[in-house]
Amino acid sequence: MLRLNILLASLVASPALAAFRSDHADFIKQRRDGGDPTQPVGTNPISKFSTQYLGQQTANNSCSHRDLGFTGELQGKWYAIFGDTLWCDQGVTDPSKDPDGFHGMVRDAVSLMTNNPLVVEDMHLNNDSPVRHQLQFVPFNAAWGETNTYGFGGTSLVETANGAGAVFYLVNANDDGLKGAGVAKVELVNGEPTVTQRFGNNGYWWPVQNLPRYGDVAAFRDPRSDYIYAWGGAPTPVTDNIGSQYVYLLRVKAADAYDLSKYEYWWGTAGGGWKQGQPLTQFGAQNAVMWFVGQGQFVWSDFFQCYIYVHLSPGGSDVLLRTATSLEGPWTPDVKVYTATPIGGGLTYAGVAHPYLDTSGKTLTISYTNNNHIEVIKVTFSK
């Protein structure tokens, strides 16, 4: 996702990073001294584990460089939603052998997961020869002023009802900035997940000028309830080092995912909890559920009997897991299960879970982006 690359790069390279770290340290102390619901509490049950690096993920029927790859289920199969997908040169079948230069791209794409986390099957291929490449997953709409350069950063595919699904995405107009967070209906068409409808008068429901970017951090179909949950960052006018890092939460019953009036917004325990049809208008610790986390993915762990959030440290390379018994939190401190080695000095981000590979929860396979490569690790837990 180009937007995330730019944000992380500016954070790492900015002369203000030292000031940010100072503010961060002061804020952590305040959190420990006060009643902040985003503060980690308790003990993380993930204490005994081993981690194995598996390799890099590639497609078996196409060839590209990409990021993200958040996974989600639809009609019994698991799919990955990728961000910026940079096509390899004509005829190239191995990304490591791709010559320098720009060979075409789309701003997002979808692939079918296989039983091997290092192999995906790309969907919606074009007619390039001899190697076909992916077409865009979330379509742009010229009637809304969008062009083929617009970004639609999406997180996990979530199942709704009657065999359909949904994807949350963030409309990025590049130099004109972020527009809003939206939801699209996804249906299987000729066996491939296909966006069949985008909602909202301008293709999004939550304008970023006054509402959180719901779904930009994560989206999750909770297997223990009827709900879909989506997490998002602060509205774009919130730019201070502390306030801009809060994460806000909404939910909706899966069967009602295409009806904006049915969405519920978390106002925080002190603010009255869940409120249907009342978008959040107050932003700060008391209304948030997390602070300073990377994009990631949630899973329910039968092994630990709790939820796990998989993410990478913002601006860093640590793969982190935190846990909670409720999706509203509070969350335990993070446990580091792996540290990636940045490729070519690039960025590492976006923790992705592959829970379908071991439903017992004894192991958890995780992927992440490393400078437009998808790397995969496997964590084995014990008690």
Side-chain angles (χ1 to χ4, degrees):
M1 184 186 298
L2 292 179
R3 171 185 155 266
L4 183 58
N5 287 349
I6 293 169
L7 286 175
L8 291 180
S10 64
L11 177 62
V12 172
S14 170
L17 181 57
F20 177 83
R21 286 174 172 159
S22 177
D23 289 347
H24 185 180
D26 290 342
F27 181 61
I28 292 297
K29 183 178 185 304
Q30 294 172 20
R31 293 170 77 197
R32 289 171 178 158
D33 295 343
D36 183 343
T38 69
Q39 177 182 358
V41 299
T43 301
N44 194 321
I46 302 172
S47 60
K48 298 179 180 179
F49 59 88
S50 61
T51 303
Q52 177 187 7
Y53 177 80
L54 299 182
Q56 292 189 13
Q57 183 187 91
T58 58
N60 61 10
N61 62 339
S62 184
C63 196
S64 64
H65 310 279
R66 48 194 163 191
D67 68 353
L68 308 183
F70 297 110
T71 65
E73 186 178 14
L74 187 62
Q75 292 192 27
K77 295 183 179 180
W78 283 74
Y79 300 90
I81 306 297
F82 292 98
D84 293 314
T85 301
L86 304 166
W87 299 344
C88 291
D89 199 8
Q90 187 175 11
V92 173
T93 58
D94 182 347
S96 67
K97 298 179 181 178
D98 188 32
D100 292 339
F102 179 75
H103 314 297
M105 70 174 291
V106 291
R107 297 305 306 269
D108 62 5
V110 62
S111 301
L112 173 68
M113 303 308 302
T114 70
N115 290 331
N116 181 351
L118 301 182
V119 178
V120 301
E121 179 182 335
D122 288 347
M123 307 271 96
H124 295 292
L125 298 179
N126 64 16
N127 293 320
D128 287 352
S129 178
V131 179
R132 302 169 70 189
H133 298 108
Q134 283 178 292
L135 299 172
Q136 186 146 313
F137 179 55
V138 178
F140 71 91
N141 187 339
W144 294 327
E146 298 172 348
T147 72
N148 63 351
T149 67
Y150 271 44
F152 299 97
T155 45
S156 300
L157 184 66
V158 289
E159 202 153 25
T160 54
N162 301 318
V167 63
F168 288 77
Y169 56 86
L170 181 65
V171 180
N172 181 354
N174 303 311
D175 291 343
D176 290 334
L178 303 176
K179 295 295 187 181
V183 171
K185 184 177 183 178
V186 178
E187 298 177 279
L188 289 180
V189 178
N190 297 323
E192 297 182 317
T194 303
V195 171
T196 56
Q197 185 176 359
R198 289 174 57 192
F199 299 97
N201 292 333
N202 295 293
Y204 52 84
W205 273 337
W206 301 285
V208 299
Q209 286 298 314
N210 60 334
L211 293 173
R213 307 187 299 269
Y214 290 116
D216 187 43
V217 172
F220 178 54
R221 175 64 170 91
D222 181 18
R224 296 173 59 80
S225 75
D226 295 329
Y227 284 94
I228 293 166
Y229 289 79
W231 292 256
T236 52
V238 180
T239 57
D240 65 280
N241 286 341
I242 302 304
S244 63
Q245 300 300 324
Y246 283 115
V247 175
Y248 303 94
L249 179 63
L250 63 65
R251 72 179 184 182
V252 66
K253 287 187 176 180
D256 297 326
Y258 314 133
D259 184 345
L260 179 60
S261 69
K262 298 295 180 63
Y263 278 75
E264 303 174 29
Y265 303 87
W266 180 249
W267 282 68
T269 301
W274 289 107
K275 296 183 180 181
Q276 182 177 330
Q278 298 183 50
L280 191 66
T281 58
Q282 301 173 9
F283 307 105
Q286 296 304 317
N287 312 106
V289 292
M290 290 185 181
W291 182 80
F292 199 59
V293 297
Q295 279 186 301
Q297 196 162 336
F298 292 84
V299 299
W300 168 260
S301 170
D302 276 339
F303 187 75
F304 289 111
Q305 288 295 296
C306 64
Y307 296 100
I308 298 176
Y309 182 52
V310 180
H311 69 118
L312 269 69
S313 52
S317 300
D318 293 337
V319 180
L320 306 173
L321 307 182
R322 63 178 57 182
T323 67
T325 55
S326 168
L327 290 168
E328 296 90 345
W331 293 84
T332 66
D334 287 314
V335 167
K336 179 176 69 175
V337 296
Y338 188 74
T339 300
T341 301
I343 297 172
L347 299 172
T348 55
Y349 55 95
V352 175
H354 301 263
Y356 53 91
L357 293 172
D358 183 357
T359 57
S360 76
K362 171 70 174 178
T363 67
L364 181 60
T365 299
I366 297 168
S367 58
Y368 55 87
T369 300
N370 189 342
N371 195 13
N372 280 7
H373 300 76
I374 306 298
E375 295 192 312
V376 185
I377 61 175
K378 182 179 181 179
V379 184
T380 301
F381 304 110
S382 58
K383 294 179 180 178

